Amino acid sequence: MFRLTRPLFQVAKTTTRITGLAVHPNPLPALTQTYESTLTALEKIPTTSVYRQGVEALTLRKLNIVKGANGDIGAVEKQLAEGQIEEALQIATDELSLVGQMAEWKANTAIISRAIPSSMRSASSRVPRGLPAILQKNPDDVVITYAKRTAVGRAKKGQLKDTPVDEMMHALLLATFEQTKLDPSKIDDICVGTCHPPSPLYASRAAALAAGIPHTVPISTVNRLCSSGLMAIRNIAHAIQSGETSLGLAIGVESMSLNPRPTPEVSQIVDQNAEAHDCIQPMGWTSEMVAEHYKVSREKQDEYALISHTRANEAKAANIFAEEIVPINIRGTTISIDDTIRPGVTKDSLAGLKSVFPNWGPGTTTAGNASGVGDGAAICVLTTRERAEKEGMQILGKWVASSVVGVTPKHMGISPIYAIPKLLETVGLTKEDVDVYEINEAFASQFAYCVDELKVPIEKINPNGGAIAISHPLGMTGTRQVVTGLAELRRKNKDILLTSMCIGSGMGAAGLFVNEAKRVANKL
């Protein structure tokens, strides 16, 4: 966390006095202090950072100007006293530029926030660093006050196979309003993560209107494939942090029954590029490429798949998923239990399955060690801590930060090994600080490799099974992982959740959240 020792609005006042020719009696020591504080803050950024190098050089130049060529501040003050304010004017202009750059780098603006009326206050854009800062509760934190999902349906054969995304989302919104008693007119914005339905914005907007949300509430959709649900949360969180939104809904939804992945098409000139060609290939092909390149055996894939199937069956038998599922009504039928979890999966039954992609790579991917294809939706309600407390909303968790990365398209599945360390570095945590990981199991090939490379105990990862057992409705998954992870933290009375997933075309993402509803699992 980078902290400027002087309030930025005081710097602006000093600048106004200089630019208005009513020179501050002695602005130079104040500017010197600001520059020196900036240099101290920059020491916390790696020296290899282009940002640090650029700002550090600019700050040193301005500091030297202020102090004078020979460090003689008195000489510069004398020039100002004689009315030579050209350089002072330039310094003031540069100062405002520097303030802007530091703000872009998530500078600590809490001192400004305290000077703004609460009705106009946005969440801070800073990223807390270190466990104490992350666990600290601030009025401008972005918090989650509701997090639920629908039961998941097996694609083409399950309970949601004939339910389009608008109907699914409509049912989820009605159930959410019933449980939360949230007044739809209080919503400032909605973001829906979804991948393959036609005209997704029209469908989402129509579903919101039909659920009783006023036409004055805007909505957007986001498609970053497997991370779309997380990106919806990220977009609303960032909007709250910027002050543009005070309360928003983040939704992830997908019907892989009615809207399966379409075959991407690119022009011939684009397809001639090797990586461009790779990035539009079927996901099963990328699974086999990972297995081949990183030598992930069929046996290891089945081993990790069995863990997922076993855990999910045990969780279902113990009724654990009931806490995170909100029942929805679809055409008079209540949907409340996942129908995707397959009972009786064993090591031998997995070993007996045939490859589903025998013509690609080693042909080790099967229907038992790859994520299931499914239908479902999930939702999170986000606002500021201050508003949640003022309006009596129960705070379940806190948004902290996220990361996105790009990797070689052919090996898109390994991206969590880059997204997770990037996020941990951003927030100043170690792998050991995280209590629960929800890492998407797109394929056992990539999941096994990621677990081995991250060196995180498997006991911390997907403790109730993952997508191999529960299935992976593309737009839903990023939101479901947050719902599932926060529920698990409540049961365990633990603090930190990290979610991550690989993303088709060669990307990856991760998100960090804090549980703030310990010992209340039975009340939800």
Side-chain angles (χ1 to χ4, degrees):
M1 180 168 62
F2 314 119
R3 185 180 297 277
L4 299 179
T5 59
R6 298 187 65 247
L8 302 186
F9 55 79
Q10 289 184 15
V11 174
K13 285 172 62 179
T14 298
T15 301
T16 301
R17 291 172 181 167
I18 294 174
T19 57
L21 304 187
V23 180
H24 189 285
N26 188 5
L28 296 171
L31 288 173
T32 299
Q33 181 184 1
T34 297
Y35 296 146
E36 289 176 341
S37 298
T38 299
L39 291 171
T40 299
L42 288 170
E43 290 176 359
K44 298 180 180 181
I45 302 175
T47 56
T48 55
S49 168
V50 175
Y51 169 82
R52 170 174 174 172
Q53 295 168 6
V55 176
E56 195 167 49
L58 175 63
T59 306
L60 284 170
R61 179 178 65 79
K62 292 191 290 185
L63 184 61
N64 288 333
I65 292 174
V66 170
K67 288 185 174 181
N70 296 314
D72 185 357
I73 294 179
V76 180
E77 288 179 332
K78 182 179 179 181
Q79 289 179 342
L80 284 174
E82 293 173 353
Q84 298 175 11
I85 64 169
E86 292 292 333
E87 283 194 315
L89 180 61
Q90 183 60 49
I91 290 169
T93 301
D94 288 346
E95 177 61 28
L96 288 178
S97 174
L98 179 62
V99 167
Q101 291 180 62
M102 290 302 289
E104 285 293 322
W105 193 257
K106 310 294 186 184
N108 182 356
T109 57
I111 193 164
I112 296 179
S113 179
R114 289 197 294 270
I116 300 174
S118 61
S119 61
M120 297 174 59
R121 190 176 302 158
S122 65
S124 171
S125 62
R126 72 187 186 278
V127 174
R129 282 186 58 80
L131 193 57
I134 288 170
L135 295 178
Q136 181 178 326
K137 297 180 180 180
N138 306 298
D140 54 5
D141 289 334
V142 176
V143 297
I144 298 171
T145 62
Y146 184 78
K148 292 286 186 178
R149 69 173 178 92
T150 69
V152 182
R154 187 179 178 189
K156 304 293 186 181
K157 299 179 180 179
Q159 57 197 343
L160 294 171
K161 64 182 177 63
D162 299 317
T163 308
V165 293
D166 59 314
E167 187 175 359
M168 208 183 308
M169 184 174 142
H170 172 257
L172 177 59
L173 286 169
L174 291 177
T176 296
F177 296 146
E178 174 63 27
Q179 285 199 349
T180 64
K181 308 306 178 185
L182 176 66
D183 180 352
S185 67
K186 291 186 175 182
I187 301 168
D188 294 319
D189 199 5
I190 304 170
C191 186
V192 180
T194 191
C195 298
H196 299 316
S199 302
L201 180 58
Y202 286 108
S204 298
R205 171 74 165 161
L209 294 169
I213 296 175
H215 65 261
T216 53
V217 178
I219 193 167
S220 66
T221 58
V222 59
N223 180 1
R224 192 176 264 168
L225 297 178
C226 309
S227 71
S228 297
L230 177 60
M231 293 301 104
I233 296 174
R234 181 182 189 242
N235 287 357
I236 293 296
H238 286 179
I240 294 173
Q241 287 177 327
S242 73
E244 296 179 2
T245 296
S246 176
L247 187 150
L249 307 184
I251 299 171
V253 60
E254 203 74 40
S255 171
M256 299 183 76
S257 292
L258 300 178
N259 310 120
R261 176 185 185 264
T263 301
E265 296 181 5
V266 297
S267 63
Q268 184 178 358
I269 191 169
V270 169
D271 194 56
Q272 289 174 355
N273 177 278
E275 288 198 326
H277 176 82
D278 289 348
C279 91
I280 64 172
Q281 297 308 305
M283 294 300 96
W285 177 79
T286 70
S287 172
E288 296 297 346
M289 294 303 100
V290 168
E292 182 176 62
H293 186 78
Y294 295 100
K295 296 178 172 52
V296 185
S297 68
R298 166 71 183 268
E299 291 71 26
K300 174 165 283 191
Q301 292 177 54
D302 286 351
E303 174 188 343
Y304 278 95
L306 182 59
I307 292 172
S308 184
H309 288 295
T310 302
R311 289 179 176 179
N313 272 284
E314 291 174 350
K316 184 176 181 179
N319 208 30
I320 283 176
F321 293 131
E323 180 184 334
E324 65 193 60
I325 294 174
V326 57
I328 59 172
N329 185 289
I330 300 293
R331 306 172 197 175
T333 299
T334 298
I335 307 294
S336 61
I337 300 173
D338 298 321
D339 68 11
T340 52
I341 299 171
R342 289 168 280 186
V345 178
T346 65
K347 179 180 178 180
D348 289 340
S349 66
L350 288 172
L353 295 174
K354 295 181 179 180
S355 170
V356 290
F357 309 119
N359 298 324
W360 294 330
T364 53
T365 304
T366 72
N369 64 28
S371 60
V373 182
D375 312 316
I379 186 170
C380 290
V381 178
L382 295 93
T383 185
T384 62
R385 182 184 303 279
E386 183 177 47
R387 179 167 179 177
E389 291 176 346
K390 181 179 179 181
E391 299 187 14
M393 303 177 191
Q394 183 182 25
I395 297 175
L396 301 181
K398 179 172 77 171
W399 155 272
V400 180
S402 63
S403 68
V404 289
V405 299
V407 297
T408 304
K410 180 185 293 187
H411 304 134
M412 71 92 197
I414 70 167
S415 54
I417 72 173
Y418 299 102
I420 291 173
K422 180 180 179 181
L423 178 56
L424 291 174
E425 171 62 25
T426 298
V427 299
L429 295 184
T430 66
K431 291 180 291 186
E432 291 71 27
D433 291 323
V434 178
D435 297 303
V436 171
Y437 290 82
E438 284 287 333
I439 302 176
N440 193 41
E441 302 165 352
F443 300 95
S445 58
Q446 56 83 212
F447 179 71
Y449 179 75
C450 289
V451 173
D452 289 352
E453 284 296 305
L454 289 167
K455 294 180 172 56
V456 172
I458 191 62
E459 291 75 20
K460 282 189 171 186
I461 303 174
N462 303 349
N464 296 305
I468 288 175
I470 300 169
S471 92
H472 174 31
L474 300 181
M476 177 197 190
T477 290
T479 315
R480 182 198 67 78
Q481 287 181 317
V482 176
V483 174
T484 299
L486 288 177
E488 180 65 13
L489 287 176
R490 290 194 293 272
R491 283 187 290 272
K492 292 182 174 179
N493 283 315
K494 297 293 186 179
D495 295 308
I496 304 298
L497 165 68
L498 192 153
T499 70
S500 186
M501 70 286 293
C502 55
I503 303 170
S505 81
M507 295 183 286
L512 195 81
F513 303 83
V514 176
N515 169 40
E516 294 200 2
K518 295 182 179 180
R519 292 181 290 276
V520 297
N522 294 331
K523 300 179 182 180
L524 299 178

